Amino acid sequence: MRVLLAGKFVPGGRRPIGGVQSWIDTVAAELRRLGYSVILWEPGRHAPPPCDLGILANWAETGHLAPLCARVISVSHGIIEAERPGPADRLICVSEGVRDHWGAAADVLRQPIDLAFWTPGEDRGAALAVRFSYRGSRTHCPQAAARLRLRYLHLRDARPVPARCVLRQAAVVWATGRAALEAMACGAPVVLYDHRSAYQRALLDGDLTRQMHNSYSGRGGITPDLSEVVAAARGAAPARAWVEAHHDVRAIVPELLR
């Protein structure tokens, strides 16, 4: 069975780092493990051959590929216009918040995380505070790390293997979205905090259930001051069990394919 995974950006393409790219990379790896033939496509590449299934993100950029696929799934990853879903055989949203934003009759399938790759290490002894985000916008993270007497590192463009190495050692990680889940899977105490300057102010929220429904974006949280960011870091606890319960790619991909 040949499966097409398409989005505005894909792994190994024009912009290798990002949530959609990481989702595609994770799903593609699991499909290949299950024996499927997988094709990745982004704008600028030659048209793919006919496929048995097309899983299309960023419909405005990829929807024209639908006629090449015997069956089509539209996946919406967020609430910005680029994530507007399209007319497909099945619609998937990554959270209740995304589904409700688009008013869509969609199935919710949570962000898939490869728990065989994102694993805890042997030693978390490094006095290291990490901001895990490709964004360059300003946050309280450097000052918070100083108050916590931790060395600060902005993990901005690392590939998965070196990123995992850092996350396994971190005393605390500030992140949102898939980055937060990957850090949790590595056993790091995680604070859901970042500044998505393109469309969202800095937000902080420690309620995992609410944040799961909001795609771990921080929406519904507060705009924190420095003392609140420090307090959240001091109170953060490991949450790999949460990711195991809700985000295991080996449980999610079969649901995607059904």
Side-chain angles (χ1 to χ4, degrees):
M1 182 175 180
R2 180 184 289 159
V3 180
L4 171 66
L5 285 168
K8 185 176 181 180
F9 303 109
V10 297
R14 296 171 295 156
R15 184 185 295 176
I17 301 295
V20 173
Q21 299 92 307
S22 177
W23 188 97
I24 289 173
D25 195 37
T26 302
V27 170
E30 180 62 10
L31 287 170
R32 292 181 180 120
R33 189 188 72 82
L34 294 172
Y36 291 87
S37 173
V38 178
I39 296 173
L40 305 185
W41 185 92
E42 69 177 19
R45 296 189 176 184
H46 294 300
C51 293
D52 301 289
L53 174 63
I55 303 174
L56 311 183
N58 312 122
W59 187 269
E61 303 270 359
T62 65
H64 66 283
L65 301 174
L68 297 173
C69 305
R71 181 168 173 258
V72 178
I73 298 172
S74 174
V75 181
S76 178
H77 293 263
I79 65 173
I80 62 174
E81 186 60 28
E83 299 293 348
R84 179 182 292 276
D89 299 302
R90 187 184 182 197
L91 176 57
I92 299 294
C93 293
V94 299
S95 71
E96 290 82 355
V98 172
R99 179 197 62 195
D100 296 347
H101 175 82
W102 297 117
D107 296 321
V108 173
L109 285 184
R110 310 222 177 266
Q111 291 281 358
I113 301 297
D114 182 357
L115 292 167
F117 177 84
W118 298 102
T119 56
E122 296 297 323
D123 180 21
R124 195 165 297 281
L128 181 65
V130 177
R131 180 186 177 193
F132 187 23
S133 172
Y134 66 86
R135 297 178 180 89
S137 47
R138 295 183 64 184
T139 67
H140 291 303
C141 297
Q143 296 91 339
R147 288 200 181 183
L148 294 164
R149 300 182 182 276
L150 298 172
R151 182 167 60 89
Y152 175 66
L153 174 66
H154 185 178
L155 193 60
R156 187 171 183 180
D157 57 4
R159 304 304 297 164
V161 170
R164 180 181 61 182
C165 181
V166 171
L167 296 173
R168 285 174 168 176
Q169 301 176 62
V172 66
V173 176
W174 292 289
T176 54
R178 289 186 58 83
L181 294 170
E182 290 164 354
M184 290 179 198
C186 287
V190 173
V191 176
L192 292 165
Y193 170 62
D194 203 352
H195 187 180
R196 302 179 176 216
S197 57
Y199 62 94
Q200 178 178 291
R201 67 191 185 279
L203 292 169
L204 180 147
D205 190 2
D207 186 325
L208 281 180
T209 298
R210 179 169 58 217
Q211 281 307 301
M212 180 168 66
H213 293 173
N214 287 329
S215 303
Y216 302 95
S217 63
R219 287 190 299 275
I222 64 169
T223 301
D225 61 25
L226 175 57
S227 64
E228 289 166 325
V229 174
V230 172
R234 286 177 173 150
R240 179 177 167 88
W242 178 269
V243 185
E244 292 174 339
H246 299 288
H247 296 279
D248 185 353
V249 67
R250 296 195 179 188
I252 290 170
V253 164
E255 285 297 307
L256 179 65
L257 295 173
R258 69 169 175 80

